[in-house]
Amino acid sequence: MAATTALIGGVLGASGCSFEQKVDPTVPLVDVTFTDVRAGFAADDYAIGSSARGVTDGVGSRLTININVTNANGVVINPKAVITYADGTTDTCQETDLRRLPNLQASTTSWDLPCGDDFPEDISGASVVVTDDYE
């Protein structure tokens, strides 16, 4: 019995690291600020800020959108940001795990959305349009 318990404990202990987020150290850090950010919808409960931060690192790419919640009613929303670069290419940033969708809380000041592509270092002329797929 003790040997079985030790074996299970060893397996569980060894598998504990599988829950850690994998980081790719070969991906260079890119940290950019988008200053042309607009809401593609009209909402009474919150407003989108005029800037957003994009980060690409060893974990992936994500866009942090600043928001101002005016009605903290707990409603779940599904924000989607489409970035259009000066050359016409686009990238979509949206949470795909429905369990992680944000809701309107008084303490919420930003949302982090995973993005499909890495951010370029030069984002001159880029614009971000944020919509709510639940709107």
Side-chain angles (χ1 to χ4, degrees):
M1 181 72 163
T4 303
T5 304
L7 178 61
I8 292 171
V11 170
L12 291 176
S15 68
C17 65
S18 66
F19 296 108
E20 293 177 18
Q21 196 165 28
K22 304 287 186 214
V23 176
D24 184 352
T26 63
V27 176
L29 174 68
V30 176
D31 190 340
V32 294
T33 301
F34 295 92
T35 57
D36 182 3
V37 179
R38 293 171 271 149
F41 62 94
D44 295 331
D45 298 332
Y46 63 99
I48 302 298
S50 60
S51 67
R53 178 180 180 208
V55 174
T56 297
D57 57 19
V59 176
S61 295
R62 61 200 167 280
L63 183 71
T64 302
I65 300 169
N66 299 314
I67 58 130
N68 179 25
V69 175
T70 55
N71 184 10
N73 55 13
V75 169
V76 174
I77 60 172
N78 189 0
K80 175 171 74 173
V82 176
I83 303 167
T84 304
Y85 295 100
D87 66 359
T89 60
T90 62
D91 185 14
T92 300
C93 304
Q94 185 174 25
E95 183 58 63
T96 57
D97 183 348
L98 298 179
R99 297 170 297 174
R100 297 186 60 179
L101 290 178
N103 59 44
L104 301 178
Q105 300 294 324
S107 60
T108 304
T109 59
S110 65
W111 297 315
D112 289 330
L113 304 175
C115 300
D117 297 319
D118 292 349
F119 295 109
E121 290 187 22
D122 181 11
I123 59 165
S124 303
S127 64
V128 179
V129 176
V130 181
T131 57
D132 180 358
D133 274 6
Y134 285 167
E135 188 80 280

